[in-house]
Amino acid sequence: MYDKPEYVLVCSLYSGVDKILLFYDVCVELRRVSIGNIKSTGSVNLIPEGQIFPGGTPVTFIIETITLTIFIVYTVLSIVGIIFAVVCLLFNCYFRKKMIIHLSGPSMNVVFIIGIITLYLLVILFGIDDGLVSFTAASGLCQFRIWVAVLAFSLIYGAILSKTFRIYYVLRKARRGKPSTSQKTIQDWHMFILIGVLLAIDVVYLLIVTAVPEAILRLETQLIPTVNGELPSKYSVCTSTGSNIWIPILLAYKGVELIFSLFFAFETRKIRVKELNDSKMIVFSVYSIVLAVIAITP
């Protein structure tokens, strides 16, 4: 049995049936959350404010949170990933004039690696819940996480999309018998503009979901139904009243980015220069993202 003295559930036994009477959250305030039958979904019989209930047994409320051990393990793994990404970043910058690095697009590699580092930081942020920090701080992290996740996605796939689009552009002109000159080739600043446009769209979306009350993500406590007389438990989840509208909009927008990435990967799949052919890795990364979204989408 877990011991969380700040959360106490008061129950009473009536004719062999457990009933929830009062729920105490000592850390915040003494409040009544729900009153009714633990083992059924029948009607809830409210007890008037101030009335003393006959009998009752205080029991510990099980709080489902991320354990400190798991948080430390994933934090260490994320830090290792960040260190490796920084090493790759330094390697890319130092050898940027080498042919193999130059062909891969060192400028876009920098953007890509920054996005990867941001995702590793996001892993640490997702490990922080109300079991490690206060409920108010954990609730504030809900909105901050969505900012980090959306911007990191655009940095990563914006770099991939830009690099692949430049190759696609060159191949397309070559197929039409119009070899690209240095003046007509897509330059790095063109690709930075593309990434900037994607990030600008992200910022507009994020500002809206941060300003609209129905779209703001907040930490809410949900009860887990008990079975076989087990102690009731609860867990915290980030949610909003408008999530069924704003989340699909975000997924649709990001889905368009993935579709274009797949299209350019398909069009450049036959390039013989290994350093320029990223089609297989793009397909694999898109496949991984789609699986992850399906896994976490309720």
Side-chain angles (χ1 to χ4, degrees), residues 57-290:
T57 304
V59 297
T60 301
F61 205 84
I62 299 177
I63 312 298
E64 301 290 347
T65 60
I66 298 175
T67 64
L68 182 60
T69 302
I70 294 179
F71 174 73
I72 292 176
V73 169
Y74 277 90
T75 299
V76 171
L77 292 176
S78 298
I79 293 175
V80 172
I82 292 173
I83 294 174
F84 178 73
V86 171
V87 172
C88 292
L89 179 63
L90 296 176
F91 182 88
N92 173 82
C93 294
Y94 186 79
F95 295 103
R96 63 186 182 279
K97 294 184 179 180
K98 297 290 183 179
M99 181 60 66
I100 187 172
I101 303 296
H102 180 72
L103 290 176
S104 67
S107 298
M108 291 300 101
N109 290 342
V110 171
V111 177
F112 180 85
I113 294 173
I114 292 175
I116 293 296
I117 293 175
T118 307
L119 277 186
Y120 279 125
L121 293 174
L122 186 63
V123 173
I124 300 176
L125 291 176
F126 269 109
I128 302 175
D129 60 6
D130 55 330
L132 297 175
V133 297
S134 66
F135 190 88
T136 303
S139 184
L141 282 175
C142 289
Q143 200 68 19
F144 183 66
R145 290 189 195 116
I146 193 70
W147 275 79
V148 176
V150 171
L151 296 178
F153 183 95
S154 289
L155 287 174
I156 294 173
Y157 279 93
I160 293 175
L161 188 62
S162 300
K163 289 172 58 177
T164 313
F165 174 71
R166 177 159 64 179
I167 298 173
Y168 166 77
Y169 179 82
V170 173
L171 288 178
R172 182 183 176 187
K173 294 188 71 67
R175 290 170 184 171
R176 293 183 177 183
K178 300 178 181 180
S180 298
T181 62
S182 59
Q183 290 77 14
K184 295 182 179 181
T185 301
I186 296 179
Q187 305 295 326
D188 286 348
W189 65 271
H190 293 116
M191 297 190 289
F192 280 119
I193 290 178
L194 176 58
I195 296 175
V197 170
L198 295 177
L199 292 175
I201 296 175
D202 288 340
V203 171
V204 171
Y205 170 85
L206 292 170
L207 288 175
I208 293 175
V209 299
T210 303
V212 177
E214 293 78 10
I216 298 176
L217 290 173
R218 295 182 178 89
L219 199 64
E220 293 186 0
T221 299
Q222 298 183 0
L223 298 178
I224 303 175
T226 59
V227 293
N228 300 326
E230 295 178 355
L231 288 177
S233 57
K234 78 166 192 175
Y235 68 98
S236 299
V237 60
C238 293
T239 184
S240 69
T241 56
S243 58
N244 57 338
I245 297 176
W246 295 100
I247 296 299
I249 292 176
L250 176 63
L251 294 179
Y253 162 53
K254 295 304 177 182
V256 172
E257 292 184 29
L258 296 180
I259 291 174
F260 273 103
S261 297
L262 289 175
F263 172 75
F264 293 137
F266 178 80
E267 291 293 319
T268 59
R269 69 190 186 281
K270 294 183 179 180
I271 295 180
R272 297 181 180 179
V273 181
K274 184 178 180 181
E275 291 75 14
L276 298 177
N277 193 339
D278 296 329
S279 57
K280 292 182 179 179
M281 297 305 300
I282 294 175
V283 172
F284 177 77
S285 63
V286 172
Y287 175 76
S288 302
I289 287 292
V290 172

Side-chain angles (χ1 to χ4, degrees), residues 3-29:
D3 185 16
K4 285 280 186 177
E6 64 271 25
Y7 297 102
V8 177
L9 182 71
V10 180
C11 298
S12 186
L13 185 66
Y14 291 96
S15 301
V17 180
D18 291 329
K19 288 188 176 182
I20 300 176
L21 299 178
L22 294 174
F23 172 66
Y24 295 88
D25 191 346
V26 182
C27 290
V28 181
E29 61 179 346

